[in-house]
Amino acid sequence: DVKVTQSSRYLVKRTGEKVFLECVQDMDHENMFWYRQDPGLGLRLIYFSYDVKMKEKGDIPEGYSVSREKKERFSLILESASTSQTSMYLCASSRGGPNTEAFFGQGTRLTVV
Amino acid sequence: ELKVEQNPLFLSMQEGKNYTIYCNYSTTSDRLYWYRQDPGKSLESLFVLLSNGAVKQEGRLMASLDTKARLSTLHITAAVHDLSATYFCAVDLVSGSRLTFGEGTQLTVNP
């Protein structure tokens, strides 16, 4: 089974802190994604990556950056956390090719106070 | 820009009844996915539909894809309480690319 693991289930951070959310997948998938999920807004794509050291902006990249130094690991960075970034963050991975089924991690609920 | 719309967004139904959730999308694609999310949990893959006319069934759920109509349906047969969850459809435009999700349909099955 594909396993996508996010480093934390719950995080509480202070406004202005630099926050790192880590995601690791164990199925050698090429693609990795970071989404945030908010009530009434569904899933919105923040950043994604097709390969090591590659990154692409999604729909809402402002205030975020990412890092992919190794194929299995994709990190989301909040440079200076704000209360508007309080949300559920979901990491996903998928294999390249015609079947782009994405597999999700368990989610990180981040609260910025 | 690809838009994915689900209908209805909220669905309350009685056990034993049948119902259908609809997923419309705005641009030609032949790859569509259905996911389930339980409260406070992550998304679980339900169905992968990769061609026009594809039909998949698992238990009381059946999904189909009509790429010409740009429509997928998720049909629930004889609903049971355990099916209560939020269901998302997702579409991609280009093989190997990002998924765009619908808003989700929150299903509640009442005894």
Side-chain angles (χ1 to χ4, degrees):
Chain A
D1 280 351
V2 174
K3 193 162 185 183
V4 180
T5 304
Q6 294 181 227
S7 53
S8 305
R9 288 295 306 276
Y10 302 95
L11 272 180
V12 180
K13 296 292 182 180
R14 295 193 180 277
T15 300
E17 274 193 79
K18 190 170 186 176
V19 181
F20 292 86
L21 303 183
E22 307 285 347
C23 175
V24 177
Q25 51 96 2
D26 66 358
M27 284 301 290
D28 202 35
H29 282 174
E30 283 76 16
N31 306 326
M32 296 189 75
F33 308 86
W34 276 105
Y35 292 88
R36 66 176 280 179
Q37 184 177 22
D38 301 287
L41 296 177
L43 274 80
R44 294 180 291 168
L45 182 63
I46 305 171
Y47 267 97
F48 58 108
S49 169
Y50 291 146
D51 202 349
V52 176
K53 297 193 185 295
M54 284 188 57
K55 59 185 179 183
E56 298 280 346
K57 291 181 180 179
D59 300 318
I60 52 164
E62 296 78 18
Y64 303 94
S65 62
V66 290
S67 172
R68 194 169 180 196
E69 296 296 319
K70 294 184 178 182
K71 190 175 186 180
E72 67 271 18
R73 188 180 296 270
F74 193 36
S75 303
L76 180 69
I77 304 157
L78 286 66
E79 296 290 345
S80 178
S82 69
T83 55
S84 65
Q85 294 177 309
T86 292
S87 186
M88 170 71 94
Y89 289 87
L90 294 167
C91 175
S93 72
S94 69
R95 192 181 310 280
N99 182 347
T100 48
E101 182 185 12
F103 297 87
F104 284 82
Q106 76 274 32
T108 297
R109 187 164 292 282
L110 173 67
T111 302
V112 183
V113 298
Chain B
E1 180 189 350
L2 173 60
K3 292 190 185 301
V4 181
E5 295 181 342
Q6 291 182 231
N7 177 36
L9 299 183
F10 298 94
L11 176 56
S12 181
M13 55 191 298
Q14 284 188 308
E15 280 190 330
K17 299 292 186 182
N18 304 331
Y19 210 84
T20 299
I21 299 170
Y22 298 89
C23 174
N24 291 92
Y25 54 97
S26 60
T27 308
T28 301
S29 174
D30 59 2
R31 285 174 298 280
L32 189 136
Y33 308 84
W34 283 96
Y35 290 86
R36 168 182 172 143
Q37 185 178 38
D38 292 301
K41 301 289 180 66
S42 189
L43 276 73
E44 172 191 357
S45 179
L46 287 176
F47 298 110
V48 176
L49 304 170
L50 298 178
S51 62
N52 185 39
V55 177
K56 296 279 183 75
Q57 182 162 5
E58 179 74 31
R60 300 174 188 274
L61 300 177
M62 184 173 71
S64 65
L65 178 61
D66 181 343
T67 59
K68 294 178 182 176
R70 299 177 188 169
L71 171 69
S72 180
T73 60
L74 180 66
H75 187 72
I76 303 154
T77 301
V80 293
H81 180 69
D82 285 352
L83 290 179
S84 297
T86 300
Y87 293 86
F88 291 91
C89 63
V91 178
D92 78 22
L93 283 178
V94 177
S95 175
S97 79
R98 50 177 287 182
L99 294 179
T100 298
F101 284 81
E103 309 97 314
T105 297
Q106 186 176 320
L107 171 66
T108 303
V109 181
N110 302 302

